[in-house]
Amino acid sequence: MLEVHKGFINQLSSVLIQISSLPYPLTEWVSPPHGPHLAISPYKPLNTAVHLGTSHSLAVGVQLETVRDATILVSSNSSAKLNQSMVIPKKEKRVSRRRRRRNNVKSISVVSPPSPPHIVKKLPRNLERYLWSLTPDEALAFAKRDIENASLASDDDPELYAPLFRNISTFKRSYEWMEWMLKVYIYPDGERPIFHEPELTGIYSSEGWFMKLMEENRQFVTKDPEKAHLFYLPYSARKLQTALYVPNSHNLKPLIDFLRDYVNMLAAKYPFWNRTHGSDHFLVACHDWGPYTLKGHEELIRNTIKALCNADASERIFIPGKDVSLPETVIRNPSRPLRYLGGNRVSQRPILAFFAGNRHGPVRPILLKHWSDKDDDMRIYGPLPNRASRIMSYPQHMKSSKYCICPMGFEVNSPRIVEAIYYECVPVIIADNFVPPLNDVLNWEAFSVFVAEKDIPKLKEILLAIPLRKYLVMQSNVKKLQKHFFWNAKPVPYDLFHMILHSIWTSRLNQIQIPQPS
C-alpha cells in the first residue's frame, strides 16, 4: 500500500512539474466547456449538440515543443524571390541590378533582410491522439476554447506585424490551431471546366489560385470525409459564367439552376450536406455574379460559408461575420504572379492621388466629374490617356502616387486595392457597403483610407488633412502587409492562400458556441 502511495506521489509530482512549464494557462488545456452541451449558432440550423465529456482533462502535462517547418520563408518584400528557398550568390544579385537598370525600373524600395524560418509548435503526442479521438465538432470546440483564452502575444514576432491585425494574439493562436488540425474534404464530383479547372489569369484569378493550391495541398486536405472539419465545393464562378451564360441575354437562371442541381446531387449522394444543412461547406467565387448565382438553393445561400470578391453587405447575400471577403487579384502571367512588385520611395511619389479606369457603375462618373483634369495633384482619368501613358505606364503611376483611388464599379469590389498594396501605394476605398478583404482579421484603418461616396467632392481636402506622420505609418504598413496578399506557386505561411483559408476556418469556428459558466 505504501508503495502505491509513493508511486502516485511521484507521478503527481511529475505532472505538476510539466504543467508548470506549459507556455499557456492550464485552463486552456484542461477545462472542458461548461454547461451540458455546445450550442450551434443561427448560421448552422442543426438539431444536434456537441458533447464534451470529462475526459478532456486527459490532454495535460506535456510541454509544447517547437520544430522547424520544412518551408523556408524569405523576405516578405522580395517579390519574385518569395518562392525560392536558396541563397542567391552576390554575383547573381549584381546581374539582377544591372538588368533592372536596363529595364528602367526606377527607385524600387529596398528589400528588407530575409525573415527567419517559420516556427511551428508541435502538439504533444498524447494531446494529438486525444484530439483525433474526438469528432470534428468536438475538436473544433476544444480549439475554440483555447483560442478564446489566448495569452497576449508579444509585438516582436518577425513574421507578423501586430498593427496590421485586429487582435494579433487571437490570430496567432487561431492560425496555430489551423496548422495543427484543420482537414478539408474536396468533393470529387463535377465535370470540367466548371469544376476542378482553375483559371489562373485575369481579374477573377483569386478563385482559380485558391482552387489550384487547395487541390494540390497535402497538409489540409483529407480523403476521409468523416475526419473533415470543412467541405469544399470546387467550382469556378468564372467558368460557370463562360460555360452557361448566353451573351447579352441578361439571364442568370441557367447558372442558378446549375448550382442548385449540383448541391441537390451532393445532398442525395453523400450524408454530409444534410447533416449540417451545408453550414460546414464553403465555396470560393470571385466573379461579380458569384453571389447572385447562389439564389436557387436556400441552404446554399443562407448557411454555406461564402468567400466572395463581391462582398456587398447591403444585398444580404454576403453576411459579414460569417462570410469571407475575398481579395480580387489581377494575375497576368501565372508563371510569375509576383511580377512588378514594389514602388518608389515616399520622396519620389509626387502625385497625391491616382485613378484610371472605365466609367463603370454609379461612383466613377461622379469621381471623374469632380476631379478629371481639374487638379494636377489629382491624376484622375477614365482609361489612361496616351498623353499620360507616354510619360508613365499604369503601374508606374501607382508606384509614383501617395494614394491610389479604389472606387467601386458596377459592384463594390475593385482589383485596384490589391494592386495598390503590391505597388506600395495607400489605397483609398470608395464603396459604402463594401466589406474589405479579410476584414475579420485585418485592421484596414492602419493602412488604408475610406471615403464615403457622398464625400467625393471633398476628396483632396480629406487626403491633405491626413498628417504626414500618419501617412508615413500607413505607407510603411502597406509594405509590411504585402506578403499576406501574395499568391505563391508553393504556399508559404501567412500568404494569401493561408489567409483566405484561415478566414474560412475562423468562420467555421464561430459556428460553435461554447456557453460561459453561469
Side-chain angles (χ1 to χ4, degrees), residues 325-358:
S325 181
L326 184 67
E328 192 169 32
T329 55
V330 181
I331 302 297
R332 294 176 175 83
N333 184 347
S335 64
R336 298 180 64 187
L338 302 179
R339 194 178 182 186
Y340 301 129
L341 293 177
N344 296 354
R345 60 177 64 95
V346 171
S347 62
Q348 294 181 331
R349 290 179 177 265
I351 304 169
L352 176 64
F354 169 71
F355 167 79
N358 293 322

Side-chain angles (χ1 to χ4, degrees), residues 495-507:
D495 68 359
L496 189 50
F497 169 74
H498 285 94
M499 294 296 289
I500 294 169
L501 186 61
H502 175 267
S503 289
I504 296 168
W505 150 265
T506 299
S507 181

Side-chain angles (χ1 to χ4, degrees), residues 148-417:
E148 289 179 346
N149 293 325
S151 57
L152 185 64
S154 63
D155 293 337
D156 58 353
D157 191 315
E159 294 188 86
L160 297 172
Y161 185 58
L164 302 180
F165 294 87
R166 293 183 178 275
N167 187 320
I168 189 64
S169 302
T170 301
F171 173 75
K172 287 180 66 174
R173 198 71 177 127
S174 177
Y175 191 95
E176 286 175 341
W177 274 107
M178 181 186 78
E179 288 185 314
W180 284 331
M181 62 178 282
L182 174 61
K183 294 300 174 186
V184 177
Y185 180 75
I186 304 175
Y187 283 107
D189 309 80
E191 296 182 2
R192 297 172 184 267
I194 296 174
F195 299 92
H196 308 288
E197 189 170 290
E199 187 163 314
L200 303 180
T201 60
I203 195 173
Y204 306 121
S205 58
S206 285
E207 65 182 28
W209 274 86
F210 183 88
M211 180 192 297
K212 172 186 182 294
L213 299 176
M214 189 79 255
E215 294 203 325
E216 293 174 352
N217 190 273
R218 294 183 180 181
Q219 177 182 0
F220 299 113
V221 173
T222 179
K223 293 184 179 180
D224 183 356
E226 296 293 344
K227 294 181 179 178
H229 307 96
L230 285 163
F231 294 79
Y232 177 34
L233 307 177
Y235 81 97
S236 164
R238 171 61 170 168
K239 292 293 181 70
L240 181 70
Q241 176 252 329
T242 55
L244 299 181
Y245 178 69
V246 178
N248 302 317
S249 68
H250 305 290
N251 181 16
L252 298 185
K253 191 173 186 303
L255 290 69
I256 295 171
D257 291 347
F258 180 89
L259 282 184
R260 177 202 63 202
D261 294 343
Y262 171 67
V263 173
N264 287 338
M265 179 274 293
L266 294 180
K269 183 176 179 179
Y270 301 92
F272 312 111
W273 181 278
N274 292 330
R275 188 175 66 187
T276 66
H277 301 283
S279 61
D280 56 358
H281 289 56
F282 73 93
L283 59 91
V284 178
C286 194
H287 193 277
D288 287 353
W289 296 347
Y292 313 127
T293 58
L294 310 175
K295 290 184 175 181
H297 198 290
E298 183 180 354
E299 290 179 342
L300 178 65
I301 200 169
R302 185 183 72 238
N303 298 339
T304 302
I305 300 169
K306 304 179 289 291
L308 302 172
C309 286
N310 189 2
D312 189 337
S314 68
E315 295 178 337
R316 298 185 179 182
I317 299 175
F318 180 92
I319 304 173
K322 179 183 82 73
D323 295 328
V324 177
S325 181
L326 184 67
E328 192 169 32
T329 55
V330 181
I331 302 297
R332 294 176 175 83
N333 184 347
S335 64
R336 298 180 64 187
L338 302 179
R339 194 178 182 186
Y340 301 129
L341 293 177
N344 296 354
R345 60 177 64 95
V346 171
S347 62
Q348 294 181 331
R349 290 179 177 265
I351 304 169
L352 176 64
F354 169 71
F355 167 79
N358 293 322
R359 295 173 176 263
H360 290 161
V363 171
R364 296 183 189 180
I366 299 173
L367 178 68
L368 292 168
K369 174 185 174 183
H370 285 279
W371 295 108
S372 181
D373 293 322
K374 297 291 196 321
D375 192 314
D376 196 47
D377 290 333
M378 306 285 287
R379 306 289 178 89
I380 308 297
Y381 307 102
L384 190 64
N386 290 334
R387 58 184 168 81
S389 62
R390 282 196 296 266
I391 301 172
M392 284 190 294
S393 66
Y394 180 90
Q396 288 170 334
H397 270 85
M398 297 191 91
K399 291 169 183 279
S400 302
S401 300
K402 293 180 175 65
Y403 297 96
C404 289
I405 311 302
C406 308
M408 65 177 288
F410 287 118
E411 305 296 346
V412 293
N413 44 304
S414 171
R416 289 167 182 79
I417 297 172

